[in-house]
């Protein structure tokens, strides 16, 4: 980033071209009706599993566990594994498979931007599979990744045409799951952030903060445990608070009981229309 001399006036200009897709996204989610929930998760078992894997030479990121836990949980809640479109005549699509969008902090042509990848079929995926997909995007400028070709193509269009092209890509309910997932995960756990709420453009968005040692009650006595603040934002147009609370509770249970938590299929979720 270029520094501005103290004696200079403000530099005024359009946003960086590499961030146009973020502006299109923010325009698209204006109709979202967000409600926020949060809970605390004892990460003792997850960290123990992670440490054992690392001792064997395998590295797992915490967001991989969260993606897997949320995928298993949403498979049991097809009403939340859904999307809505329209205002006067809204249509709801319920998806037969769970796809998690992971928000990424990356560089694109030297500019720091927000990008995303979608991890499909989380109702049946394994932890190693999830981690493999995440690892594909580490340590490389996104300008070199073919997966982000459509984003780079958007940036080359006039902003109005870019906005229209973005809408055409993400609005159809049949394509929504593969383009932006059926739920989203955004993490700031690498920073001193305990918790935050985000809107990922999906009915359910999980916000992940840092894991920190906190005092908890165990068998009526205080103890210290690694605790994660887990935040959930849901679109009230699609589900209500009770359903969202069950989803959040299911993710908490999956993480606290890992790896004993068993996979549950997506069942008879209604196909997208």
């Amino acid at each position: 980033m270029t520094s501005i001399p103290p004696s200079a006036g403000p530099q005024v200009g359009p946003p960086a071209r590499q961030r146009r897709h973020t502006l299109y996204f923010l325009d698209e989610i204006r109709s979202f009706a967000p409600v926020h929930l949060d809970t605390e998760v004892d990460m003792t078992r997850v960290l123990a599993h992670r440490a054992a894997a690392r001792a064997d030479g395998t590295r797992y990121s915490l967001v991989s566990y969260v993606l897997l836990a949320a995928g298993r949980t949403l498979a049991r809640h097809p009403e939340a594994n859904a999307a809505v479109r329209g205002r006067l005549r809204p249509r709801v699509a319920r998806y037969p498979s769970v796809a998690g969008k992971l928000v990424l902090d990356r560089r694109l042509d030297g500019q720091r931007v927000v990008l995303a990848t979608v991890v499909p079929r989380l109702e049946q995926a394994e932890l190693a599979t999830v981690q493999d997909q995440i690892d594909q995007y580490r340590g490389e400028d996104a300008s070199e990744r073919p997966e982000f070709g459509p984003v780079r193509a958007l940036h080359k269009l006039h902003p109005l045409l870019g906005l229209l092209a973005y809408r055409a890509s993400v609005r159809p309910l049949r394509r929504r799951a593969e383009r932006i997932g059926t739920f989203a995960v955004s993490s700031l756990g690498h920073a001193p952030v305990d918790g935050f709420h985000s809107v990922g453009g999906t009915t359910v968005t999980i916000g992940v903060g840092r894991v920190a040692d906190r005092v908890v009650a165990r068998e009526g006595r205080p103890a210290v445990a690694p605790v994660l603040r887990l935040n959930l934002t849901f679109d009230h147009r699609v589900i209500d608070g009770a359903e969202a609370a069950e989803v959040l509770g299911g993710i908490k249970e999956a993480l606290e009981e890992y790896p004993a938590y068993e996979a549950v299929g997506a069942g008879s979720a209604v196909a997208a229309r």
Side-chain angles (χ1 to χ4, degrees), residues 186-259:
S186 182
S187 174
L188 292 175
H190 60 282
V193 174
D194 290 324
F196 70 102
H197 293 281
S198 176
V199 175
T202 50
T203 294
V204 170
T205 301
I206 307 298
V208 180
R210 64 178 176 173
V211 176
D213 286 341
R214 303 184 191 281
V215 177
V216 299
R218 285 184 175 169
E219 298 180 356
R221 296 183 179 182
V224 176
V227 173
L228 168 70
R229 275 279 301 280
L230 192 66
N231 304 275
L232 184 149
T233 297
F234 71 93
D235 190 342
H236 211 333
R237 298 175 302 168
V238 184
I239 59 174
D240 296 321
E243 183 89 24
E246 290 179 2
V247 171
L248 183 60
I251 299 171
K252 170 184 170 72
E253 178 185 3
L255 292 170
E256 291 186 339
E257 295 187 1
Y258 192 89

Side-chain angles (χ1 to χ4, degrees), residues 7 18 20 23 32 48 59 81 83 104 109 145 158 162 171 187 219 228 257 270:
S7 59
Q18 295 86 350
R20 285 180 182 173
L23 301 182
F32 199 93
R59 179 192 172 280
N81 193 53
L104 305 167
D109 298 327
R145 298 292 309 183
H158 183 279
R171 282 188 175 180
S187 174
E219 298 180 356
L228 168 70
E257 295 187 1
V270 178

Side-chain angles (χ1 to χ4, degrees), residues 132-210:
D132 285 345
Q133 179 155 344
I134 295 175
D135 287 342
Q136 294 178 25
Y137 303 99
R138 293 188 181 277
E140 186 174 351
D141 191 297
S143 60
E144 304 297 327
R145 298 292 309 183
E147 294 87 347
F148 298 126
V151 173
R152 297 193 297 269
L154 276 179
H155 298 161
K156 296 177 181 178
L157 298 175
H158 183 279
L160 179 57
L161 292 177
L163 176 60
L164 294 176
Y166 180 83
R167 288 176 177 175
S169 174
V170 303
R171 282 188 175 180
L173 291 177
R174 286 189 175 274
R175 299 204 300 262
R176 189 83 64 89
E178 64 184 76
R179 298 293 169 84
I180 64 172
T182 62
F183 76 98
V185 172
S186 182
S187 174
L188 292 175
H190 60 282
V193 174
D194 290 324
F196 70 102
H197 293 281
S198 176
V199 175
T202 50
T203 294
V204 170
T205 301
I206 307 298
V208 180
R210 64 178 176 173

Side-chain angles (χ1 to χ4, degrees), residues 92-161:
V92 175
R94 298 176 183 87
Y95 298 97
S97 185
V98 186
K101 181 180 81 169
L102 177 62
V103 179
L104 305 167
D105 173 26
R106 289 293 179 267
R107 295 259 172 199
L108 182 61
D109 298 327
Q111 174 74 36
R112 193 174 188 178
V113 298
V114 173
L115 296 170
T117 184
V118 176
V119 183
R121 297 180 294 278
L122 281 167
E123 73 280 1
Q124 60 187 32
E126 297 180 354
L127 185 64
T129 305
V130 177
Q131 188 63 50
D132 285 345
Q133 179 155 344
I134 295 175
D135 287 342
Q136 294 178 25
Y137 303 99
R138 293 188 181 277
E140 186 174 351
D141 191 297
S143 60
E144 304 297 327
R145 298 292 309 183
E147 294 87 347
F148 298 126
V151 173
R152 297 193 297 269
L154 276 179
H155 298 161
K156 296 177 181 178
L157 298 175
H158 183 279
L160 179 57
L161 292 177

Side-chain angles (χ1 to χ4, degrees), residues 11-104:
Q11 294 183 353
V12 180
R17 173 177 53 84
Q18 295 86 350
R19 294 195 68 250
R20 285 180 182 173
H21 66 282
T22 298
L23 301 182
Y24 303 153
F25 165 77
L26 293 173
D27 179 84
E28 183 63 20
I29 64 172
R30 286 183 178 181
S31 60
F32 199 93
V35 179
H36 311 294
L37 308 175
D38 67 79
T39 190
E40 292 185 343
V41 181
D42 186 336
M43 296 291 282
T44 299
R45 292 191 177 183
V46 166
L47 293 188
H49 183 272
R50 191 184 188 206
R54 181 172 294 179
D56 289 336
T58 303
R59 179 192 172 280
Y60 291 122
S61 61
L62 290 179
V63 291
S64 294
Y65 293 91
V66 174
L67 279 165
L68 195 63
R72 296 291 195 267
T73 302
L74 282 167
R76 300 169 58 192
H77 292 272
E79 295 295 325
N81 193 53
V84 64
R85 180 186 176 188
R87 296 186 180 182
L88 297 179
R89 297 182 65 241
R91 305 289 287 176
V92 175
R94 298 176 183 87
Y95 298 97
S97 185
V98 186
K101 181 180 81 169
L102 177 62
V103 179
L104 305 167

